[in-house]
Amino acid sequence: SAFAAREFHAVKYNCEVKLHFCPKFEEQQRRLGSTGGSEDILMDALWEMTRLIPKRRVATGCPLFMTESIEDNDDTSTDETPNAPIIPKRLWAALVSHSSISPDFVWGDASKAMIRSLANNLASFPLKTTGFSSFKEEFVTAGGIFLKEVQLTNMESKIRPGLFMAGEVLDVDGVTGGFNFMNCWSTGYIAGGSAAEFCSIGNSSE
Protein backbone atom coordinates (compact mmCIF):
# COMPACT_ATOMS: atom_id res chain seq x y z
CA SER A 1 0.00 0.00 0.00
CA ALA A 2 2.95 2.33 0.49
CA PHE A 3 3.17 2.94 -3.26
CA ALA A 4 -0.49 3.40 -4.16
CA ALA A 5 -2.62 3.57 -1.00
CA ARG A 6 -4.36 6.80 -1.92
CA GLU A 7 -4.85 5.79 -5.54
CA PHE A 8 -6.54 2.54 -4.46
CA HIS A 9 -8.71 4.43 -2.01
CA ALA A 10 -9.78 6.88 -4.71
CA VAL A 11 -11.21 4.04 -6.84
CA LYS A 12 -12.62 2.21 -3.80
CA TYR A 13 -10.17 -0.66 -4.30
CA ASN A 14 -11.98 -1.73 -7.46
CA CYS A 15 -9.62 -1.67 -10.41
CA GLU A 16 -7.17 -3.66 -12.49
CA VAL A 17 -3.48 -3.54 -11.68
CA LYS A 18 -0.63 -4.87 -13.74
CA LEU A 19 2.41 -6.44 -12.13
CA HIS A 20 5.93 -6.35 -13.54
CA PHE A 21 7.61 -9.36 -11.96
CA CYS A 22 11.17 -8.56 -13.01
CA PRO A 23 11.88 -4.81 -13.33
CA LYS A 24 15.45 -5.21 -12.06
CA PHE A 25 16.20 -7.81 -14.74
CA GLU A 26 14.87 -5.41 -17.37
CA GLU A 27 17.07 -2.65 -15.94
CA GLN A 28 20.06 -4.98 -16.09
CA GLN A 29 19.34 -5.89 -19.71
CA ARG A 30 19.06 -2.22 -20.66
CA ARG A 31 22.45 -1.58 -19.11
CA LEU A 32 23.77 -4.41 -21.29
CA GLY A 33 22.38 -2.76 -24.42
CA SER A 34 18.84 -4.12 -24.81
CA THR A 35 16.25 -1.72 -26.19
CA GLY A 36 12.49 -1.66 -26.63
CA GLY A 37 9.58 -2.06 -24.27
CA SER A 38 9.49 -4.28 -21.20
CA GLU A 39 7.77 -7.12 -23.05
CA ASP A 40 10.21 -6.91 -25.97
CA ILE A 41 13.26 -7.13 -23.71
CA LEU A 42 11.87 -10.18 -21.91
CA MET A 43 10.78 -11.71 -25.20
CA ASP A 44 14.34 -11.49 -26.55
CA ALA A 45 15.82 -13.00 -23.38
CA LEU A 46 13.29 -15.85 -23.30
CA TRP A 47 13.51 -16.60 -27.02
CA GLU A 48 17.24 -17.09 -26.59
CA MET A 49 16.38 -20.09 -24.38
CA THR A 50 14.97 -21.95 -27.40
CA ARG A 51 18.56 -22.05 -28.67
CA LEU A 52 20.46 -22.45 -25.40
CA ILE A 53 18.30 -25.08 -23.65
CA PRO A 54 16.00 -26.53 -26.34
CA LYS A 55 15.41 -29.87 -24.54
CA ARG A 56 14.57 -28.41 -21.14
CA ARG A 57 10.92 -28.11 -20.14
CA VAL A 58 9.73 -24.53 -19.99
CA ALA A 59 7.92 -25.11 -16.69
CA THR A 60 10.97 -26.59 -14.95
CA GLY A 61 12.17 -23.25 -13.66
CA CYS A 62 12.95 -19.68 -14.61
CA PRO A 63 16.02 -19.58 -16.90
CA LEU A 64 16.64 -15.86 -16.35
CA PHE A 65 19.18 -14.76 -13.76
CA MET A 66 20.30 -11.51 -12.26
CA THR A 67 24.03 -10.91 -12.08
CA GLU A 68 25.80 -9.19 -9.23
CA SER A 69 28.73 -6.94 -10.03
CA ILE A 70 31.92 -7.25 -8.02
CA GLU A 71 33.92 -4.06 -8.49
CA ASP A 72 37.67 -4.12 -8.63
CA ASN A 73 39.73 -1.66 -6.64
CA ASP A 74 40.21 0.61 -9.63
CA ASP A 75 36.40 0.88 -10.15
CA THR A 76 36.84 0.38 -13.89
CA SER A 77 35.96 -3.29 -14.39
CA THR A 78 33.51 -5.81 -12.98
CA ASP A 79 33.25 -9.58 -12.73
CA GLU A 80 29.70 -10.81 -13.05
CA THR A 81 28.58 -13.96 -11.27
CA PRO A 82 25.15 -15.59 -11.63
CA ASN A 83 22.70 -15.07 -8.80
CA ALA A 84 19.34 -16.73 -8.10
CA PRO A 85 16.62 -17.02 -10.79
CA ILE A 86 14.53 -13.86 -10.99
CA ILE A 87 11.25 -15.81 -10.51
CA PRO A 88 10.74 -18.47 -7.77
CA LYS A 89 10.04 -21.97 -9.07
CA ARG A 90 6.38 -22.28 -8.07
CA LEU A 91 5.50 -18.80 -9.33
CA TRP A 92 7.28 -19.53 -12.59
CA ALA A 93 5.25 -22.72 -13.08
CA ALA A 94 2.04 -20.77 -12.47
CA LEU A 95 3.03 -18.06 -14.98
CA VAL A 96 3.91 -20.69 -17.58
CA SER A 97 0.52 -22.36 -17.07
CA HIS A 98 -1.25 -18.98 -17.29
CA SER A 99 0.53 -18.45 -20.62
CA SER A 100 -1.15 -21.65 -21.94
CA ILE A 101 2.12 -23.56 -22.14
CA SER A 102 1.86 -27.25 -21.27
CA PRO A 103 3.96 -28.48 -18.30
CA ASP A 104 5.70 -30.98 -20.61
CA PHE A 105 6.52 -28.47 -23.34
CA VAL A 106 10.23 -27.95 -24.04
CA TRP A 107 11.88 -24.71 -25.07
CA GLY A 108 12.87 -26.03 -28.49
CA ASP A 109 9.25 -26.64 -29.44
CA ALA A 110 7.91 -23.31 -28.17
CA SER A 111 6.49 -20.93 -30.73
CA LYS A 112 7.09 -17.19 -30.73
CA ALA A 113 3.43 -16.69 -29.80
CA MET A 114 3.91 -18.84 -26.67
CA ILE A 115 7.06 -17.03 -25.63
CA ARG A 116 5.43 -13.66 -26.32
CA SER A 117 2.52 -14.62 -24.05
CA LEU A 118 4.94 -15.59 -21.28
CA ALA A 119 6.94 -12.37 -21.71
CA ASN A 120 3.71 -10.37 -21.50
CA ASN A 121 2.70 -12.07 -18.25
CA LEU A 122 6.13 -11.40 -16.77
CA ALA A 123 6.07 -7.73 -17.75
CA SER A 124 2.40 -6.86 -17.31
CA PHE A 125 0.44 -9.49 -15.40
CA PRO A 126 -3.20 -8.35 -14.97
CA LEU A 127 -4.89 -8.63 -11.59
CA LYS A 128 -8.38 -7.51 -10.69
CA THR A 129 -8.82 -6.00 -7.22
CA THR A 130 -12.28 -5.82 -5.69
CA GLY A 131 -11.55 -4.74 -2.13
CA PHE A 132 -9.14 -5.20 0.76
CA SER A 133 -8.77 -7.59 3.66
CA SER A 134 -10.36 -7.15 7.06
CA PHE A 135 -9.00 -4.42 9.32
CA LYS A 136 -7.50 -6.98 11.71
CA GLU A 137 -5.15 -8.10 8.95
CA GLU A 138 -3.88 -4.61 8.23
CA PHE A 139 -0.58 -3.69 9.88
CA VAL A 140 -0.14 -0.11 8.74
CA THR A 141 -2.43 2.54 7.26
CA ALA A 142 -1.79 5.59 5.13
CA GLY A 143 -2.90 9.04 6.23
CA GLY A 144 -2.57 10.95 9.47
CA ILE A 145 -0.99 14.19 10.57
CA PHE A 146 1.00 15.84 7.79
CA LEU A 147 4.73 15.75 8.46
CA LYS A 148 5.00 19.42 7.48
CA GLU A 149 2.98 20.18 10.61
CA VAL A 150 5.48 18.41 12.88
CA GLN A 151 8.89 19.54 14.09
CA LEU A 152 10.77 16.35 13.25
CA THR A 153 13.68 17.06 15.59
CA ASN A 154 11.45 16.56 18.62
CA MET A 155 8.10 15.36 17.12
CA GLU A 156 6.26 18.40 18.51
CA SER A 157 3.29 19.87 16.69
CA LYS A 158 3.99 23.17 14.96
CA ILE A 159 0.34 24.05 15.42
CA ARG A 160 -0.17 22.94 19.05
CA PRO A 161 2.99 23.45 21.13
CA GLY A 162 3.29 20.82 23.82
CA LEU A 163 1.60 18.14 21.69
CA PHE A 164 4.01 15.38 20.65
CA MET A 165 3.20 12.67 18.13
CA ALA A 166 4.62 9.36 16.99
CA GLY A 167 3.93 6.25 14.94
CA GLU A 168 0.61 5.62 13.25
CA VAL A 169 -0.88 9.04 13.94
CA LEU A 170 1.65 10.45 11.45
CA ASP A 171 1.19 10.36 7.68
CA VAL A 172 3.87 7.71 7.21
CA ASP A 173 3.28 4.53 5.22
CA GLY A 174 6.50 2.60 4.77
CA VAL A 175 7.17 -0.48 2.68
CA THR A 176 7.12 -3.92 4.28
CA GLY A 177 10.35 -4.99 5.91
CA GLY A 178 10.44 -3.42 9.35
CA PHE A 179 10.36 0.21 8.24
CA ASN A 180 6.98 0.91 9.85
CA PHE A 181 8.15 -0.64 13.12
CA MET A 182 11.29 1.47 12.95
CA ASN A 183 9.20 4.58 12.36
CA CYS A 184 7.09 3.85 15.44
CA TRP A 185 10.06 3.05 17.66
CA SER A 186 12.17 6.00 16.52
CA THR A 187 9.46 8.66 16.62
CA GLY A 188 8.13 7.23 19.90
CA TYR A 189 11.57 7.48 21.48
CA ILE A 190 12.03 11.06 20.29
CA ALA A 191 8.48 12.15 21.18
CA GLY A 192 8.65 10.56 24.63
CA GLY A 193 11.95 12.18 25.51
CA SER A 194 10.84 15.53 24.12
CA ALA A 195 7.54 15.42 26.01
CA ALA A 196 9.35 14.63 29.27
CA GLU A 197 11.77 17.52 28.68
CA PHE A 198 8.85 19.83 27.88
CA CYS A 199 7.12 18.92 31.13
CA SER A 200 10.27 19.30 33.20
CA ILE A 201 10.93 22.76 31.78
CA GLY A 202 7.31 23.73 32.48
CA ASN A 203 7.48 22.52 36.06
CA SER A 204 10.78 24.27 36.77
CA SER A 205 9.40 27.59 35.57
CA GLU A 206 6.41 27.50 37.92
Side-chain angles (χ1 to χ4, degrees):
S1 67
F3 299 107
R6 290 171 177 79
E7 289 81 356
F8 277 122
H9 182 267
V11 296
K12 299 181 179 179
Y13 300 91
N14 194 333
C15 62
E16 183 179 86
V17 297
K18 292 189 176 181
L19 300 181
H20 190 334
F21 285 104
C22 37
K24 290 185 178 181
F25 178 81
E26 178 188 337
E27 181 182 337
Q28 171 185 271
Q29 295 304 102
R30 290 188 185 281
R31 288 200 304 269
L32 295 174
S34 295
T35 59
S38 300
E39 183 181 321
D40 295 327
I41 289 176
L42 289 166
M43 172 67 185
D44 291 342
L46 292 171
W47 185 249
E48 184 70 4
M49 299 304 119
T50 63
R51 181 184 67 84
L52 296 176
I53 48 175
K55 295 183 179 181
R56 179 179 170 182
R57 289 185 299 172
V58 178
T60 297
C62 179
L64 305 179
F65 291 79
M66 287 294 296
T67 57
E68 53 185 12
S69 298
I70 305 174
E71 296 186 357
D72 293 336
N73 292 332
D74 61 2
D75 294 330
T76 59
S77 62
T78 61
D79 293 325
E80 294 185 336
T81 57
N83 206 339
I86 61 173
I87 304 293
K89 194 170 185 178
R90 291 175 61 186
L91 175 57
W92 175 261
L95 289 168
V96 169
S97 176
H98 191 80
S99 303
S100 300
I101 300 175
S102 169
D104 297 324
F105 222 79
V106 297
W107 284 101
D109 293 334
S111 66
K112 283 196 173 182
M114 291 178 176
I115 302 303
R116 173 68 66 178
S117 177
L118 180 56
N120 177 263
N121 282 321
L122 287 173
S124 186
F125 189 85
L127 282 177
K128 177 70 175 177
T129 66
T130 58
F132 54 89
S133 60
S134 65
F135 181 75
K136 291 183 179 180
E137 295 180 20
E138 303 289 342
F139 62 90
V140 65
T141 55
I145 298 169
F146 295 124
L147 296 183
K148 65 181 180 181
E149 297 178 359
V150 181
Q151 181 63 46
L152 298 180
T153 56
N154 62 0
M155 305 313 299
E156 183 178 15
S157 171
K158 294 178 180 179
I159 299 173
R160 294 281 186 178
L163 176 62
F164 299 85
M165 294 153 290
E168 277 283 291
V169 300
L170 299 169
D171 185 19
V172 175
D173 179 19
V175 296
T176 299
F179 298 104
N180 292 295
F181 282 131
M182 194 66 216
N183 166 57
C184 291
W185 294 330
S186 300
T187 56
Y189 178 84
I190 296 172
S194 300
E197 182 179 356
F198 180 88
C199 290
S200 64
I201 293 175
N203 291 333
S204 63
S205 63
E206 293 179 355

